[in-house]
Amino acid sequence: GPQSPPRRNMAAQAAATPAKGKVICLFDVDGTLTPARKEVSPEVLAFLADLRTKVTIGFVGGSDLKKQQEQLGEDVLSMFDYCFSENGLMAFKDGVKIGQQSVASHLGEDNLQRLINWVLKYLSDITLPCKRGTFIEFRAGMLNVSPVGRNCSQEERDAFEIYDGEHNIRSTMVTAMKAEFADLNLTFSIGGQISFDVFPQGWDKTFALQYVTEFEEIHFFGDKTYEGGNDFEIYEDPRTIGHAVTCPEDTMKICGEIWP
C-alpha cells in the first residue's frame, strides 16, 4: 500500500513548542482505537487522556454518534476535543455541535426523488435469482442500493454475490447511474456482497478537515488506508500526515514514539 510520508522530527519539535494548539491527532475508530466493532480498552482510554495533555485529539468515524458512544463510551463528546461522526457530516467541538449535513438536505427533495424513482424503475426491469425487500436504504450520509434487497437471507446474499460476479449487475447499474446523474456530482462505491453506496463527491473522511484548518499539523491514524478503504482519502490528503496502523496497540506505539 501507500507509504507514510517521511516523519519529521516531531518529538524535538513538540518539546520546543507547546503543541496543544498547533497539532491535532485525528483517529479512525474501528480497528484503530477499538478492535473492529468492539468496545475500547481501558489502556486506550488512558492513552488518549494522556495524549490529550500534549496535543488536540479527535476521532473521524463512519458510523453515527450512537454507535461511537457504544464503542468509545457514553461521554465520548467530552473525551475528545473534536468528534466527527458519519465522516464529519455530524461535527462536534468541545462537546458542542458545529456542523450537520445530510444527503437529503444537500440534494434537495426534487433531486432525491429523481434518484429514488430512477433506481426503483431500473430495478423493476431486471430479473435476478431472487428479490426480497429494502432495495434502497436511506441514510444520513448516503443512499445504499441493493438490487436483491437488504433483508435477504445469508444464502440469498451468497447467491446474489455469485450471480453479480458473473453478470455485473451492480457495476452495470452504477455505470448507467453515473451517466444519468452526471449533474449531481455523486460518488458510487460498490462494497460488500449485495449493495452499493451513493453519496456526494468529497463525502469521505476528508469532509471533516474543513473544521480543523487552524492547526499547523494534522496527523491522521487509520487502518483502512489502502485504495478502496474508507481511510484512504484522508490518509493520502496533502493536508494530513498519514499513519497506517494495524490495531489499537500499534496506534499507541506510533503515538508514543512521536509524543513520548
Side-chain angles (χ1 to χ4, degrees):
Q3 295 299 301
S4 287
R7 290 203 189 117
R8 285 167 267 160
N9 189 349
M10 296 299 167
Q13 198 177 320
T17 60
K20 179 78 179 161
K22 296 180 179 176
V23 178
I24 186 168
C25 287
L26 294 176
F27 299 93
D28 162 54
V29 180
D30 250 18
T32 300
L33 293 178
T34 74
R37 294 183 294 283
K38 296 200 171 76
E39 287 180 27
V40 70
S41 71
E43 291 77 22
V44 170
L45 291 178
F47 149 76
L48 287 169
D50 177 62
L51 184 65
R52 195 178 181 184
T53 64
K54 303 167 188 173
V55 298
T56 301
I57 65 169
F59 72 77
V60 191
S63 307
D64 59 19
L65 183 62
K66 184 174 175 291
K67 179 72 180 147
Q68 284 143 2
Q69 286 173 321
E70 286 168 16
Q71 284 184 272
L72 295 169
E74 281 300 313
D75 56 343
V76 69
L77 292 178
S78 59
M79 285 163 46
F80 293 84
D81 301 297
Y82 287 86
C83 298
F84 298 115
S85 302
E86 300 164 41
N87 289 353
L89 296 184
M90 182 79 85
F92 298 86
K93 179 186 178 182
D94 302 326
V96 178
K97 190 195 292 177
I98 54 170
Q100 186 172 8
Q101 180 59 282
S102 71
V103 72
S105 60
H106 176 78
L107 289 176
E109 191 59 39
D110 289 352
N111 281 323
L112 190 60
Q113 280 202 44
R114 194 182 133 209
L115 201 62
I116 290 170
N117 291 347
W118 188 95
V119 167
L120 293 172
K121 191 171 180 182
Y122 183 98
L123 291 178
S124 73
D125 284 331
I126 59 173
T127 302
L128 302 171
C130 78
K131 278 185 185 171
R132 294 300 176 253
T134 316
F135 302 102
I136 302 171
E137 189 171 86
F138 180 77
R139 303 176 187 170
M142 69 181 68
L143 296 178
N144 177 270
V145 177
S146 175
V148 62
R150 291 197 65 83
N151 60 2
C152 57
S153 69
Q154 188 57 53
E155 291 77 17
E156 291 159 350
R157 231 172 216 277
D158 295 341
F160 175 80
E161 185 177 28
I162 292 165
Y163 188 84
D164 186 49
E166 292 164 3
H167 297 89
N168 300 313
I169 301 298
R170 287 184 290 178
S171 58
T172 302
M173 185 172 181
V174 163
T175 301
M177 285 186 83
K178 280 181 176 169
E180 181 70 27
F181 300 103
D183 59 306
L184 297 185
N185 296 320
L186 299 170
T187 295
F188 299 84
S189 173
I190 297 176
Q193 293 182 289
I194 58 165
S195 66
F196 60 90
D197 296 330
V198 184
F199 53 91
Q201 276 171 23
W203 282 28
D204 48 58
K205 290 187 181 180
T206 60
F207 190 88
L209 295 177
Q210 65 186 290
Y211 296 110
V212 292
T213 53
E214 75 264 33
F215 293 93
E216 290 173 16
E217 265 175 30
I218 304 167
H219 291 260
F220 172 77
F221 298 82
D223 66 318
K224 295 186 178 67
T225 57
Y226 46 83
E227 191 154 9
N230 68 356
D231 296 322
F232 176 73
E233 292 87 359
I234 190 169
Y235 171 75
E236 288 281 307
D237 195 286
R239 292 170 289 181
T240 67
I241 298 167
H243 306 273
V245 303
T246 55
C247 60
E249 292 67 33
D250 195 31
T251 304
M252 292 190 284
K253 177 174 165 286
I254 293 171
C255 284
E257 288 166 4
I258 306 173
W259 300 282

